Every structure is written in C-alpha cells, then in structure tokens.
Amino acid sequence: MTVRRIAMLTGGGDAPGLNAVIRAVTKTAIQEYGWEVIGIRNGFDGLIPPVSVEPLTLDSVQGILPRGGTILGTANRGSPLARRVTSGGRVELVDQTPEAIATLKDLGVDALIVIGGDGTLNIANALAQRGVPVVAVPKTIDNDLPETDQTFGFDTAVLTATEAIDKLHSTAESHHRVMVLEVMGREAGWIAIHAGIAGGADVILIPEIPFSVSKVVEKIAERDRLGRHFSIVVAAEGAHPIGGRRFYLREGDELSLGRLGGVGEWLANTLAITSGHEARCTVLGHLQRGGTPTPFDRLLATRYGAAAVRAVAAGRFNHMVALKGNVICEVPLERCVGRVRTVPPDGELVQTARGLGISLGV
Ligand code: F6P
C-alpha cells in the first residue's frame, strides 16, 4: 500500500511528552517519507462532525519539544464507541465509529497514529478491527499499560512527585509532623513507589498492597524511638485500607471512570488522632501532568513517534510501539488493551523498599 497522508490524534489525560511525539511523527513523516500529516483536534472528538482537523507542517511543530500538554488538544470523557446522545428528550448510547471512519476516508487518510492510554487504545483497537490501519503510541503518567516497560510522561511525573517529597521533608522535620503526599496513578502504584523510594519516604501505600493504619502508626512510633519525630507518607490515590474501598471524589458510571482521590486527607486525619503527631495532607494532583518533559521522556516520546512512522511505512498496522529493556519494538494492539499493568506486590521494587525499612503499611 502506498502511503501519502497520515493522521494523528492525542487522547485521554495529557502527559508530558505528547508534543515530542507529535513533533517526531511530523518531522519523520515529512522529511524521511514525504507524506502529508493531518492533526485531529481533541482526540476522537475531532473525527465526529463537525470535524476538527489541521495540517501539521514542519513550521507547526517548531519549538514544541519542551512544551507540556498537546498542541492538538485531547479529551478524556466520552468515546465514539458509546456516545451519550440526547434525542427527543431521551438519552441514548450511540456507536459513532462509522462517522469517525467516514471522516478518515473523506480526508484521504492512509493510516492513523493514535497516542494515548488504556481508554484511547481500546478505541483504537475497535477502529483497527473495523479496518482502519492504526499504529498506537503508549502514553500515561500512570505507567500502567501492559506490553511496555515504560510509557512516556511517567518519568516527568515521578520527578515532580520526588521534588514534592524533598520539599515536604524540611517542613515535616521543623514541625515534627507527619506529612502525607497523595499522588496519582489510578489503580497502579508506580508513581508512588518510584517517587517514594527516590524521595526517601518512610511509608509508601500502593493500591496493590492494601494497608493497615496500625502498621503505619507503628512505623511512625519506631521513628520516634530513634529520635526522628517526623515522617513522610506517600499514598497512591488508589491505595485503600485492608477490607476497605478505594476513595473516590466522584464515582464512575458505565461510561466513565470515577475520579479517585481522598485517601491522603482521610489518612492525615486518622493519623492525627492515632499517631500523637500533627498531620497534614498535600494532594499533588494535576501538577504531575504538567511542565516540561524530562530528557528521558523527550527521548522516549521521540523514539516512539519515529518508530510509529516506520511501522506505518513498513505496513505493520494494528500494533503499539513499546519499550522492552532499552529496545523499541512493536506489539499487536489487541494484546495491549483491557488489562492494567500494576506493581508486583512481591517484585523487586517492593523488596527494595522493604529492605530500606520503608513501611508498605502491612
Ligand atoms: O490517567 C492519568 C490520570 O492523571 C490519573 O492518574 C488520574 O486518576 C486521572 O488521570 C485524573 O483525570 P482527570 O484529568 O479527569 O481529573
């Protein structure tokens, strides 16, 4: 198949490095292969009439490498597979993939590069099964996609969280307080365990290992006995007590995931009563998604973007580019959807934390 024109979109929550992928795809497609590149605005929404697209040129990607966010815009609510549409006062769920596919045909697109996390890859896989030639690029600060060792955006989020832990140390020590830092990650504890170890936290709570408050209190008391009258607790937003539920700011429904959050505040209030220390909570929130990507994320995003274009050129569709060890490879898309990659509870990272005396709350 001769490729003349490709399209690209970014879907789901933004992550540092999206612009680096957009730049790498655009530059490689134009300079190496002489193709045209079309950017689709606001994720899959841009494919549904009224269509929203823009040509991507060497000029349009100039200077975007260090910029956070995505110049194409994104959307992490709603899916063309089941869009909520109101007609005649009734709400119906409509499959809008036929419209999306028709738009790609009208635009004369030979292949679609989709940059996203689990929700976006799920939609990409559905389009692939309906005949659209797709190549996917794994993005998320949560690092929870299967079949790749790392997603881009994660390294920058870990840096932000580690810097926050560093800053919390001095104020915790000055006031002899327990400081709880709640970080993102959904159902995976990757950000919490990476930043917790890198920042020298005393307690790390991850969704994969439900915790006991009394074990956290024990750790704080042990530090007291050693003359260390402050503690740093890093809690992943999906962490929860043994036998308890995850904490939600808003519950999900059949169409959208809930918004996790609240474990940090709950824990700080509980520890203030049970540990004999004042306790405070910091929720790092969307700071973890912003800012300039680290050099590691810029490089990984650039390698992913260039590899996605090479996959299109070779006609290897319906794959996701991935990092295994330090090698970029391709994995069939259907193997990358419907699963979350979580922290192995007995894995090397957890063992490392335990060996350092960090409490996992059990
Ligand atoms: O998946 C990325 C992520 O930042 C999660 O860590 C977090 O739970 C969620 O997105 C927040 O989503 P929103 O931007 O809709 O608040």
Side-chain angles (χ1 to χ4, degrees), residues 55-103:
L56 289 175
T57 62
L58 295 179
D59 276 349
S60 44
V61 299
Q62 199 252 326
I64 67 171
L65 178 62
R67 276 171 58 186
T70 160
I71 60 164
L72 290 176
T74 187
N76 69 349
R77 296 281 175 268
S79 154
L81 298 176
R83 175 93 49 199
R84 219 190 282 262
V85 172
T86 312
S87 89
R90 282 186 36 223
V91 180
E92 286 177 82
L93 294 183
V94 178
D95 177 1
Q96 291 187 322
T97 51
E99 281 97 319
I101 293 170
T103 302

Short mmCIF file of all heavy atoms in Angstrom, two decimals, residues 55-103:
data_model
loop_
_atom_site.label_atom_id
_atom_site.label_comp_id
_atom_site.label_asym_id
_atom_site.label_seq_id
_atom_site.Cartn_x
_atom_site.Cartn_y
_atom_site.Cartn_z
N PRO A 55 -3.66 20.82 9.24
CA PRO A 55 -2.47 20.23 8.64
C PRO A 55 -1.29 20.44 9.59
O PRO A 55 -1.18 21.49 10.22
CB PRO A 55 -2.27 21.04 7.35
CG PRO A 55 -3.08 22.26 7.50
CD PRO A 55 -4.11 22.03 8.56
N LEU A 56 -0.44 19.43 9.73
CA LEU A 56 0.76 19.59 10.55
C LEU A 56 1.96 19.70 9.61
O LEU A 56 2.16 18.83 8.75
CB LEU A 56 0.92 18.41 11.50
CG LEU A 56 -0.08 18.36 12.66
CD1 LEU A 56 0.07 17.09 13.47
CD2 LEU A 56 0.05 19.58 13.56
N THR A 57 2.72 20.76 9.78
CA THR A 57 3.86 21.02 8.93
C THR A 57 5.11 21.15 9.79
O THR A 57 5.01 21.18 11.03
CB THR A 57 3.67 22.35 8.17
OG1 THR A 57 3.60 23.39 9.16
CG2 THR A 57 2.39 22.35 7.34
N LEU A 58 6.26 21.29 9.14
CA LEU A 58 7.49 21.49 9.90
C LEU A 58 7.38 22.78 10.73
O LEU A 58 7.86 22.85 11.85
CB LEU A 58 8.71 21.55 8.97
CG LEU A 58 9.00 20.24 8.21
CD1 LEU A 58 10.21 20.42 7.28
CD2 LEU A 58 9.22 19.07 9.16
N ASP A 59 6.68 23.78 10.18
CA ASP A 59 6.51 25.04 10.93
C ASP A 59 5.62 24.84 12.15
O ASP A 59 5.87 25.39 13.21
CB ASP A 59 5.86 26.11 10.02
CG ASP A 59 6.91 26.81 9.18
OD1 ASP A 59 8.11 26.60 9.46
OD2 ASP A 59 6.53 27.53 8.24
N SER A 60 4.54 24.03 11.99
CA SER A 60 3.61 23.93 13.13
C SER A 60 4.20 23.17 14.31
O SER A 60 3.71 23.29 15.42
CB SER A 60 2.23 23.37 12.71
OG SER A 60 2.33 22.27 11.85
N VAL A 61 5.24 22.35 14.09
CA VAL A 61 5.82 21.62 15.23
C VAL A 61 7.12 22.27 15.72
O VAL A 61 7.77 21.74 16.62
CB VAL A 61 6.05 20.12 14.89
CG1 VAL A 61 4.73 19.45 14.56
CG2 VAL A 61 7.08 19.93 13.79
N GLN A 62 7.44 23.41 15.14
CA GLN A 62 8.68 24.08 15.54
C GLN A 62 8.56 24.60 16.98
O GLN A 62 7.57 25.22 17.35
CB GLN A 62 8.95 25.23 14.57
CG GLN A 62 10.35 25.72 14.55
CD GLN A 62 10.46 27.09 15.19
OE1 GLN A 62 9.54 27.90 15.08
NE2 GLN A 62 11.56 27.34 15.86
N GLY A 63 9.54 24.27 17.83
CA GLY A 63 9.58 24.82 19.19
C GLY A 63 8.71 24.09 20.21
O GLY A 63 8.59 24.52 21.36
N ILE A 64 8.07 22.97 19.83
CA ILE A 64 7.14 22.34 20.78
C ILE A 64 7.78 21.24 21.63
O ILE A 64 7.15 20.74 22.56
CB ILE A 64 5.87 21.77 20.08
CG1 ILE A 64 6.20 20.59 19.15
CG2 ILE A 64 5.15 22.86 19.31
CD1 ILE A 64 4.95 19.87 18.61
N LEU A 65 9.01 20.85 21.31
CA LEU A 65 9.64 19.72 22.03
C LEU A 65 9.59 19.88 23.55
O LEU A 65 9.23 18.94 24.26
CB LEU A 65 11.08 19.55 21.52
CG LEU A 65 11.94 18.47 22.17
CD1 LEU A 65 11.36 17.08 21.97
CD2 LEU A 65 13.36 18.51 21.60
N PRO A 66 9.93 21.05 24.11
CA PRO A 66 9.94 21.14 25.58
C PRO A 66 8.58 21.50 26.18
O PRO A 66 8.48 21.62 27.41
CB PRO A 66 10.94 22.28 25.83
CG PRO A 66 10.93 23.10 24.61
CD PRO A 66 10.48 22.25 23.47
N ARG A 67 7.55 21.65 25.36
CA ARG A 67 6.26 22.12 25.91
C ARG A 67 5.41 20.97 26.45
O ARG A 67 5.25 19.95 25.80
CB ARG A 67 5.47 22.86 24.82
CG ARG A 67 5.88 24.33 24.71
CD ARG A 67 5.27 24.99 23.51
NE ARG A 67 3.81 24.93 23.51
CZ ARG A 67 3.07 25.35 22.50
NH1 ARG A 67 3.65 25.85 21.43
NH2 ARG A 67 1.77 25.27 22.55
N GLY A 68 4.84 21.18 27.65
CA GLY A 68 3.88 20.22 28.20
C GLY A 68 2.58 20.27 27.42
O GLY A 68 2.43 21.06 26.50
N GLY A 69 1.61 19.41 27.78
CA GLY A 69 0.31 19.41 27.11
C GLY A 69 0.40 18.85 25.70
O GLY A 69 1.36 18.15 25.35
N THR A 70 -0.61 19.17 24.89
CA THR A 70 -0.64 18.71 23.50
C THR A 70 -1.18 19.82 22.61
O THR A 70 -2.27 20.35 22.90
CB THR A 70 -1.49 17.44 23.33
OG1 THR A 70 -1.87 17.31 21.95
CG2 THR A 70 -2.74 17.42 24.19
N ILE A 71 -0.46 20.15 21.55
CA ILE A 71 -0.95 21.22 20.66
C ILE A 71 -2.23 20.80 19.95
O ILE A 71 -2.94 21.64 19.41
CB ILE A 71 0.11 21.67 19.62
CG1 ILE A 71 0.53 20.49 18.72
CG2 ILE A 71 1.31 22.33 20.27
CD1 ILE A 71 1.26 20.93 17.44
N LEU A 72 -2.55 19.50 19.96
CA LEU A 72 -3.76 19.03 19.26
C LEU A 72 -4.98 19.04 20.17
O LEU A 72 -6.10 18.84 19.69
CB LEU A 72 -3.54 17.61 18.72
CG LEU A 72 -2.56 17.50 17.56
CD1 LEU A 72 -2.34 16.04 17.18
CD2 LEU A 72 -3.07 18.29 16.36
N GLY A 73 -4.78 19.24 21.48
CA GLY A 73 -5.92 19.12 22.40
C GLY A 73 -6.24 17.65 22.62
O GLY A 73 -5.81 16.77 21.84
N THR A 74 -6.98 17.37 23.68
CA THR A 74 -7.32 15.99 23.99
C THR A 74 -8.66 15.94 24.70
O THR A 74 -9.24 17.00 25.01
CB THR A 74 -6.21 15.32 24.82
OG1 THR A 74 -6.49 13.92 24.96
CG2 THR A 74 -6.07 15.94 26.22
N ALA A 75 -9.17 14.76 24.93
CA ALA A 75 -10.43 14.61 25.67
C ALA A 75 -10.37 13.29 26.41
O ALA A 75 -9.93 12.28 25.85
CB ALA A 75 -11.61 14.60 24.68
N ASN A 76 -10.73 13.30 27.70
CA ASN A 76 -10.73 12.03 28.42
C ASN A 76 -12.11 11.67 28.97
O ASN A 76 -12.23 10.91 29.90
CB ASN A 76 -9.65 11.98 29.52
CG ASN A 76 -9.93 12.91 30.68
OD1 ASN A 76 -10.82 13.75 30.60
ND2 ASN A 76 -9.17 12.76 31.75
N ARG A 77 -13.14 12.25 28.39
CA ARG A 77 -14.51 11.85 28.72
C ARG A 77 -15.22 11.53 27.41
O ARG A 77 -15.07 12.25 26.43
CB ARG A 77 -15.26 12.98 29.44
CG ARG A 77 -14.67 13.37 30.79
CD ARG A 77 -15.07 12.40 31.90
NE ARG A 77 -14.42 12.71 33.16
CZ ARG A 77 -13.27 12.19 33.59
NH1 ARG A 77 -12.62 11.31 32.86
NH2 ARG A 77 -12.76 12.52 34.75
N GLY A 78 -15.99 10.46 27.41
CA GLY A 78 -16.75 10.12 26.21
C GLY A 78 -15.91 9.29 25.25
O GLY A 78 -14.69 9.35 25.27
N SER A 79 -16.59 8.48 24.45
CA SER A 79 -15.91 7.63 23.48
C SER A 79 -16.82 7.46 22.28
O SER A 79 -18.03 7.33 22.43
CB SER A 79 -15.65 6.27 24.14
OG SER A 79 -15.55 5.26 23.15
N PRO A 80 -16.23 7.44 21.06
CA PRO A 80 -17.10 7.23 19.88
C PRO A 80 -17.75 5.85 19.89
O PRO A 80 -18.70 5.62 19.14
CB PRO A 80 -16.13 7.39 18.71
CG PRO A 80 -14.78 7.19 19.26
CD PRO A 80 -14.83 7.60 20.70
N LEU A 81 -17.24 4.94 20.74
CA LEU A 81 -17.84 3.59 20.78
C LEU A 81 -19.23 3.63 21.43
O LEU A 81 -20.09 2.82 21.13
CB LEU A 81 -16.95 2.63 21.57
CG LEU A 81 -15.56 2.38 21.02
CD1 LEU A 81 -14.76 1.49 21.95
CD2 LEU A 81 -15.64 1.75 19.64
N ALA A 82 -19.40 4.56 22.35
CA ALA A 82 -20.69 4.68 23.05
C ALA A 82 -20.85 6.13 23.50
O ALA A 82 -20.47 6.51 24.59
CB ALA A 82 -20.73 3.75 24.27
N ARG A 83 -21.37 6.94 22.59
CA ARG A 83 -21.52 8.37 22.88
C ARG A 83 -22.92 8.63 23.41
O ARG A 83 -23.90 8.12 22.87
CB ARG A 83 -21.28 9.16 21.59
CG ARG A 83 -21.50 10.62 21.69
CD ARG A 83 -20.28 11.43 21.99
NE ARG A 83 -19.14 11.11 21.15
CZ ARG A 83 -17.88 11.41 21.45
NH1 ARG A 83 -17.58 12.03 22.55
NH2 ARG A 83 -16.90 11.09 20.63
N ARG A 84 -23.01 9.43 24.48
CA ARG A 84 -24.32 9.77 25.05
C ARG A 84 -24.95 10.85 24.17
O ARG A 84 -24.42 11.94 24.03
CB ARG A 84 -24.10 10.35 26.45
CG ARG A 84 -25.14 9.92 27.47
CD ARG A 84 -24.97 10.72 28.73
NE ARG A 84 -23.86 10.28 29.56
CZ ARG A 84 -24.02 9.47 30.61
NH1 ARG A 84 -25.20 9.02 30.94
NH2 ARG A 84 -22.97 9.13 31.34
N VAL A 85 -26.04 10.52 23.51
CA VAL A 85 -26.71 11.48 22.61
C VAL A 85 -28.15 11.65 23.09
O VAL A 85 -28.84 10.67 23.39
CB VAL A 85 -26.69 10.95 21.16
CG1 VAL A 85 -27.53 11.83 20.25
CG2 VAL A 85 -25.27 10.85 20.64
N THR A 86 -28.61 12.93 23.15
CA THR A 86 -29.99 13.19 23.57
C THR A 86 -30.82 13.42 22.32
O THR A 86 -30.51 14.29 21.52
CB THR A 86 -30.05 14.44 24.49
OG1 THR A 86 -29.03 14.30 25.47
CG2 THR A 86 -31.40 14.57 25.16
N SER A 87 -31.87 12.60 22.14
CA SER A 87 -32.77 12.85 21.01
C SER A 87 -34.21 12.64 21.47
O SER A 87 -34.51 11.64 22.11
CB SER A 87 -32.40 11.97 19.81
OG SER A 87 -33.05 10.75 19.85
N GLY A 88 -35.02 13.66 21.18
CA GLY A 88 -36.42 13.64 21.59
C GLY A 88 -36.58 13.51 23.10
O GLY A 88 -37.49 12.81 23.58
N GLY A 89 -35.65 14.15 23.84
CA GLY A 89 -35.74 14.14 25.30
C GLY A 89 -35.21 12.85 25.93
O GLY A 89 -35.17 12.72 27.14
N ARG A 90 -34.80 11.89 25.07
CA ARG A 90 -34.27 10.62 25.62
C ARG A 90 -32.77 10.54 25.41
O ARG A 90 -32.23 11.02 24.42
CB ARG A 90 -34.95 9.44 24.92
CG ARG A 90 -36.35 9.19 25.47
CD ARG A 90 -37.00 7.93 24.89
NE ARG A 90 -36.07 6.83 24.68
CZ ARG A 90 -36.06 6.05 23.59
NH1 ARG A 90 -36.92 6.29 22.62
NH2 ARG A 90 -35.22 5.05 23.47
N VAL A 91 -32.08 9.93 26.40
CA VAL A 91 -30.62 9.78 26.28
C VAL A 91 -30.33 8.38 25.76
O VAL A 91 -30.81 7.39 26.28
CB VAL A 91 -29.94 9.98 27.66
CG1 VAL A 91 -28.42 9.82 27.53
CG2 VAL A 91 -30.28 11.34 28.24
N GLU A 92 -29.56 8.34 24.66
CA GLU A 92 -29.22 7.03 24.08
C GLU A 92 -27.70 6.92 23.96
O GLU A 92 -27.01 7.93 23.84
CB GLU A 92 -29.77 6.94 22.66
CG GLU A 92 -31.26 6.75 22.55
CD GLU A 92 -31.63 6.76 21.08
OE1 GLU A 92 -31.48 5.72 20.42
OE2 GLU A 92 -32.00 7.84 20.59
N LEU A 93 -27.21 5.68 23.93
CA LEU A 93 -25.79 5.47 23.67
C LEU A 93 -25.63 5.09 22.21
O LEU A 93 -26.25 4.13 21.74
CB LEU A 93 -25.24 4.35 24.56
CG LEU A 93 -25.23 4.66 26.05
CD1 LEU A 93 -24.60 3.53 26.82
CD2 LEU A 93 -24.49 5.96 26.33
N VAL A 94 -24.85 5.88 21.49
CA VAL A 94 -24.73 5.67 20.04
C VAL A 94 -23.29 5.31 19.68
O VAL A 94 -22.34 5.95 20.16
CB VAL A 94 -25.16 6.96 19.30
CG1 VAL A 94 -25.00 6.81 17.80
CG2 VAL A 94 -26.58 7.33 19.65
N ASP A 95 -23.11 4.31 18.82
CA ASP A 95 -21.79 3.96 18.30
C ASP A 95 -21.47 4.91 17.15
O ASP A 95 -22.12 4.85 16.09
CB ASP A 95 -21.81 2.50 17.81
CG ASP A 95 -20.47 2.10 17.18
OD1 ASP A 95 -19.55 2.94 17.15
OD2 ASP A 95 -20.37 0.95 16.72
N GLN A 96 -20.50 5.81 17.37
CA GLN A 96 -20.19 6.80 16.33
C GLN A 96 -18.95 6.43 15.53
O GLN A 96 -18.42 7.25 14.79
CB GLN A 96 -20.00 8.19 16.98
CG GLN A 96 -21.31 8.76 17.51
CD GLN A 96 -21.16 10.18 17.98
OE1 GLN A 96 -20.14 10.53 18.56
NE2 GLN A 96 -22.17 11.00 17.76
N THR A 97 -18.49 5.17 15.65
CA THR A 97 -17.30 4.81 14.87
C THR A 97 -17.56 4.89 13.35
O THR A 97 -16.63 5.24 12.62
CB THR A 97 -16.75 3.42 15.25
OG1 THR A 97 -17.81 2.48 15.22
CG2 THR A 97 -16.10 3.42 16.60
N PRO A 98 -18.78 4.60 12.85
CA PRO A 98 -18.97 4.76 11.39
C PRO A 98 -18.69 6.19 10.93
O PRO A 98 -18.05 6.40 9.89
CB PRO A 98 -20.45 4.39 11.18
CG PRO A 98 -20.77 3.47 12.32
CD PRO A 98 -19.97 3.99 13.49
N GLU A 99 -19.11 7.19 11.75
CA GLU A 99 -18.83 8.59 11.38
C GLU A 99 -17.31 8.85 11.39
O GLU A 99 -16.77 9.51 10.50
CB GLU A 99 -19.48 9.57 12.37
CG GLU A 99 -20.97 9.78 12.14
CD GLU A 99 -21.81 8.91 13.06
OE1 GLU A 99 -21.43 7.73 13.25
OE2 GLU A 99 -22.84 9.39 13.55
N ALA A 100 -16.63 8.33 12.43
CA ALA A 100 -15.18 8.55 12.53
C ALA A 100 -14.47 7.93 11.33
O ALA A 100 -13.58 8.55 10.72
CB ALA A 100 -14.66 7.94 13.83
N ILE A 101 -14.88 6.73 10.95
CA ILE A 101 -14.24 6.04 9.82
C ILE A 101 -14.52 6.79 8.51
O ILE A 101 -13.64 6.95 7.66
CB ILE A 101 -14.71 4.56 9.76
CG1 ILE A 101 -14.17 3.82 10.99
CG2 ILE A 101 -14.25 3.88 8.48
CD1 ILE A 101 -14.75 2.43 11.21
N ALA A 102 -15.76 7.28 8.38
CA ALA A 102 -16.12 8.04 7.17
C ALA A 102 -15.27 9.30 7.07
O ALA A 102 -14.82 9.68 5.97
CB ALA A 102 -17.61 8.40 7.21
N THR A 103 -15.03 9.97 8.21
CA THR A 103 -14.20 11.18 8.19
C THR A 103 -12.78 10.85 7.71
O THR A 103 -12.21 11.58 6.88
CB THR A 103 -14.12 11.81 9.61
OG1 THR A 103 -15.44 12.10 10.04
CG2 THR A 103 -13.29 13.07 9.60
#
